Amino acid sequence: MQNLERSEQEIIRRQSLDELREMGIDPYPAAMYEVNAWSADIKESFRDGAERRQVSIAGRIMGRRIMGKASFVELMDAQGRIQAYITRDDICPGEDKELYNTVFKKLTDIGDFIGITGYVFRTRTGEISVHTETLTILSKSLKPLPVVKVKDGVTYDRFSDPELRYRQRYVDLLVNEEVKDIFVKRTRIFDAMRAFFNQKGYLEMDTPVLQSIPGGAAARPFITHMNALDIDLYLRIANELYLKRLIVGGFEGVYEFSRNFRNEGMDRTHNPEFTVMEIYVAYKDYTWMMSFTEQMLEHIALQVLGTTKVKVGDHEIDFKAPYRRVTMIDAIREHTGVDISGMDEKQLRAVCRELGVEEDETMGKGKLIDEIFSEKAEGNYIQPTFIIDYPIEMSPLCKRHRDNPELTERFELMVNGKELANAYSELNDPIDQRERFEEQLRLSEKGDDEAMFIDQDFLRALEYGMPPTSGMGIGMDRLTMLLTGQTAIQEVLLFPMMRPEKTAKKDPLSRYADAGISEEWAALLQKAGYLQVKSLSEAHPNKLHQEICGLNKKFKMGMNNPSPEEVKTWTEHASAL
């Protein structure tokens, strides 16, 4: 019965699995397999005429060419692919040739893991290969891989359906080599950033993911419940307030790569679960942080790509410092012709209506200004640009501007029309901070479900005194998108959020009894595509009879075939239900 849920190839592979075990070969051995060489290293170090190099390699079979007593396999390891040459008499030096004739030729498949020892040589066609002396089965693959063919630089039958690629990322990584390169670069981006901070003496920290107050950003949180304390908690939307507590506690420079969660929309640039790096440095301000940020990004681009330039869609973006600086009010004026400086909430609503920007009664001044900028200005900044000096209503955690109390000392770095980084001269006046939180509470009462909560413990921490500090957060997923030339966030997340898999609606097997059909034949009917009893009413009885009798034979079910008259009765009963 279980075979009915499997493809023909899956059934054959399981039969091969059983045969291996019957031969006394463990298809999933527990013992360590000693590996001392990898594909790229072997190819790079090979020299014609040099002393023969003995190697032990392991990997997944990605291709096979069997030619009688000699064969070639393409083996994929962590570094890439390499060819192995296998002959019957080399791996079976004695009288028993089963390892080659049966195990290798008949019972191994593309996708299986094997281990090989032998020596490196160059074939007559010039390909650096491993001449196999011993072969070991390391893991049997029970599902066939998609067969992606490459000829003359053109790829055929590519595994390209985004739904399948994102849901089965493990297959995507195996058959689409460029995908693996994206995630290698993602790791190197994190490493380069971490090294940049560590070299300056800043310390990496860990802060709570479960928080009693979802603070540090304006966003809708995910809510969960902790049974041990019988309290509701929130998955963090930001780690800002905890890192600033550490500055209060005496650290002068701290950072964290933070997994954040926001219960908001999903699209090509947003995922509900994402990674942000936040850093806080005492005795600095946002002008210092701008220089620090552009130096950091230039350093990362050079470390990861070897250049500061990267192609993203139709644009070539250059991360070489310095970057342009534009005030938010000037940015809105530049792209709408409207000067919003000094406007109250009523005037801003009028501007929104004039510009065709959606607004509603829950929005305060800050949200209205944010909507105008997002809709009319943000998308125009392709090259890295610092948008600076935000109106105070937009930045409840940011210090007032030293020259204009209506503004704050804040910047957002725009790249390719989207925000990449956000930074402040951090607000360290506990009285001012309390007033800002209370204003957020008023917005919440108006219906703004993204307004901030009041974090009383954070206010208490500020009352102990926090030195002048600048903080910056940068979206690591978006940075990876930019440095790998991707336009969808799902391409840089190993396992992006997906809707539940759609499954075809099936009747329970017992439901078929109403049409006089046993559960055994009901299972076979569902294998044939008749997932619901009523679908039998549309089947041609003779054709259905031939189909299910063929499946009975194919899957070796061993059941007595029904007569054509019985099958006709099934369809008639199904029509009457």
Side-chain angles (χ1 to χ4, degrees):
M1 295 289 287
Q2 285 186 337
N3 276 349
L4 295 179
E5 302 296 324
R6 301 180 181 122
S7 69
E8 186 173 0
Q9 278 204 52
E10 288 175 301
I11 293 169
I12 292 170
R13 287 177 180 234
R14 286 174 185 267
Q15 291 169 350
S16 296
L17 181 79
D18 292 338
E19 288 184 50
L20 286 169
R21 285 180 167 143
E22 288 170 8
M23 294 176 68
I25 297 172
D26 186 350
Y28 306 104
M32 179 183 78
Y33 187 83
E34 188 69 44
V35 176
N36 63 17
W38 290 265
S39 55
D41 293 337
I42 290 171
K43 293 175 183 178
E44 289 170 8
S45 63
F46 180 80
R47 298 292 180 270
D48 289 305
E51 183 180 349
R52 179 181 289 179
R53 180 186 176 188
Q54 293 292 134
V55 296
S56 177
I57 63 173
R60 190 188 289 270
I61 298 173
M62 298 302 288
R64 304 199 314 162
R65 283 179 292 143
I66 296 177
M67 303 172 295
K69 297 178 183 179
S71 302
F72 288 94
V73 298
E74 185 181 34
L75 211 62
M76 182 174 74
D77 63 14
Q79 292 186 352
R81 302 189 184 198
I82 192 165
Q83 179 175 269
Y85 175 61
I86 302 174
T87 71
R88 186 190 68 182
D89 293 336
D90 281 328
I91 68 170
C92 305
E95 293 295 322
D96 184 357
K97 306 297 182 184
E98 285 289 281
L99 180 61
Y100 183 84
N101 291 338
T102 303
V103 176
F104 172 68
K105 289 177 67 174
K106 296 179 181 179
L107 303 181
T108 60
D109 296 284
I110 291 175
D112 291 355
F113 283 88
I114 61 172
I116 283 173
T117 64
Y119 59 87
V120 185
F121 76 112
R122 188 188 295 275
T123 66
R124 292 178 193 173
T125 59
E127 185 167 354
I128 298 169
S129 307
V130 176
H131 189 121
T132 305
E133 293 174 327
T134 70
L135 182 147
T136 305
I137 302 295
L138 297 178
S139 182
K140 182 69 186 164
S141 170
L142 299 183
K143 282 187 176 289
L145 292 173
V147 179
V148 180
K149 301 170 187 157
V150 180
K151 185 177 180 181
D152 300 327
V154 179
T155 302
Y156 301 91
D157 300 323
R158 183 180 288 277
F159 185 66
S160 57
D161 182 345
E163 172 78 11
L164 288 175
R165 288 184 52 238
Y166 302 152
R167 203 176 291 283
Q168 300 180 32
R169 182 68 87 185
Y170 36 88
V171 179
D172 189 29
L173 292 166
L174 285 174
V175 300
N176 293 325
E177 293 183 15
E178 70 281 3
V179 173
K180 186 176 181 181
D181 183 60
I182 290 171
F183 292 101
V184 170
K185 285 180 177 171
R186 180 184 173 103
T187 294
R188 290 176 178 163
I189 289 166
F190 279 67
D191 288 346
M193 186 178 290
R194 183 176 278 114
F196 186 81
F197 296 153
N198 292 348
Q199 189 272 331
K200 296 181 182 302
Y202 306 142
L203 300 175
E204 185 170 5
M205 297 293 181
D206 290 310
T207 64
V209 174
L210 291 174
Q211 301 180 353
S212 57
I213 296 289
R220 184 185 303 150
F222 286 94
I223 305 173
T224 186
H225 186 80
M226 183 178 181
N227 292 333
L229 297 179
D230 193 23
I231 57 172
D232 284 341
L233 293 170
Y234 303 88
L235 294 181
R236 70 178 166 202
I237 58 175
N239 58 346
E240 175 173 344
L241 301 187
Y242 282 92
L243 289 177
K244 288 201 278 194
R245 284 172 168 91
L246 298 180
I247 297 295
V248 171
F251 291 100
E252 290 193 4
V254 294
Y255 70 94
E256 180 180 15
F257 291 97
S258 172
R259 202 71 163 171
N260 292 349
F261 306 84
R262 298 184 183 179
N263 197 359
E264 298 171 347
M266 294 168 55
D267 57 32
R268 290 176 63 83
T269 58
H270 295 86
N271 193 68
E273 178 182 2
F274 59 100
T275 304
V276 171
M277 188 291 306
E278 293 203 29
I279 184 168
Y280 294 84
V281 185
Y283 312 115
K284 309 297 184 186
D285 64 9
Y286 82 133
T287 58
W288 175 89
M289 188 60 81
M290 274 186 267
S291 298
F292 180 82
T293 300
E294 61 193 6
Q295 291 166 19
M296 176 193 73
L297 289 173
E298 180 179 335
H299 166 82
I300 292 170
L302 289 171
Q303 288 291 308
V304 176
L305 306 177
T307 176
T308 60
K309 296 180 180 179
V310 63
K311 190 80 182 300
V312 182
D314 296 330
H315 304 294
E316 182 180 75
I317 295 171
D318 192 349
F319 283 97
K320 185 171 179 58
Y323 305 156
R324 184 184 175 204
R325 290 148 168 76
V326 182
T327 69
M328 168 160 274
I329 289 173
D330 285 346
I332 292 174
R333 184 190 298 117
E334 178 182 347
H335 295 287
T336 67
V338 178
D339 185 352
I340 65 165
S341 56
M343 285 189 177
D344 59 22
E345 186 175 314
K346 182 178 180 181
Q347 291 170 312
L348 288 169
R349 290 188 187 281
V351 170
C352 286
R353 289 192 289 270
E354 179 185 337
L355 297 175
V357 174
E358 287 190 20
E359 51 86 22
D360 61 55
E361 61 185 16
T362 69
M363 295 180 177
K365 281 184 64 175
K367 202 74 177 285
L368 292 168
I369 295 169
D370 190 30
E371 287 296 311
I372 295 169
F373 175 78
S374 298
E375 290 290 323
K376 299 300 179 180
E378 182 178 85
N380 296 288
Y381 295 101
I382 304 302
Q383 296 303 319
T385 305
F386 291 116
I387 304 299
I388 64 173
D389 299 349
Y390 281 52
I392 194 166
E393 294 82 4
M394 294 181 66
S395 311
L397 296 169
C398 187
K399 186 170 286 190
R400 291 177 189 268
H401 198 283
R402 65 197 74 180
D403 298 323
N404 183 345
E406 296 299 311
L407 303 176
T408 57
E409 296 199 347
R410 174 185 178 185
F411 73 75
E412 286 186 320
L413 178 61
M414 300 294 165
V415 186
N416 200 38
K418 290 288 182 182
E419 173 201 342
L420 176 61
N422 185 22
Y424 308 155
S425 292
E426 299 296 337
L427 180 58
N428 60 343
D429 178 343
I431 297 172
D432 190 359
Q433 181 65 84
R434 182 176 293 279
E435 291 172 354
R436 307 268 199 100
F437 275 152
E438 288 171 350
E439 173 58 25
Q440 289 288 301
L441 182 61
R442 283 190 285 274
L443 291 174
S444 176
E445 290 168 351
K446 284 177 64 176
D448 186 347
D449 57 7
E450 293 185 356
M452 288 190 185
F453 290 60
I454 296 181
D455 189 333
Q456 298 291 352
D457 181 69
F458 176 67
L459 290 172
R460 179 169 58 194
L462 285 187
E463 289 176 353
Y464 281 99
M466 185 175 86
T469 298
S470 182
M472 182 268 291
I474 185 165
M476 298 304 295
D477 307 314
R478 287 193 182 172
L479 178 58
T480 304
M481 288 171 64
L482 290 166
L483 293 184
T484 58
Q486 302 302 313
T487 57
I489 194 171
Q490 290 81 8
E491 294 292 345
V492 302
L493 298 174
L494 279 168
F495 304 104
M497 188 68 66
M498 304 284 288
R499 294 184 185 277
E501 285 189 72
K502 291 181 180 178
T503 55
K505 186 178 179 182
K506 290 184 180 181
D507 280 344
L509 296 182
S510 58
R511 177 81 172 90
Y512 289 74
D514 295 340
I517 305 169
S518 69
E519 289 195 5
E520 290 79 7
W521 282 107
L524 208 62
L525 286 166
Q526 290 192 339
K527 180 69 174 179
Y530 299 94
L531 303 181
Q532 296 176 296
V533 179
K534 65 181 180 182
S535 64
L536 292 171
S537 63
E538 301 171 2
H540 188 282
N542 288 337
K543 184 179 177 182
L544 177 59
H545 178 261
Q546 292 174 358
E547 189 174 6
I548 62 173
C549 290
L551 289 174
N552 184 27
K553 181 180 179 181
K554 178 179 178 180
F555 289 101
K556 301 177 181 178
M557 301 299 293
M559 297 188 294
N560 293 324
N561 288 330
S563 66
E565 290 73 23
E566 284 181 275
V567 174
K568 184 178 180 182
T569 302
W570 294 352
T571 61
E572 290 171 350
H573 287 174
S575 299
L577 292 176

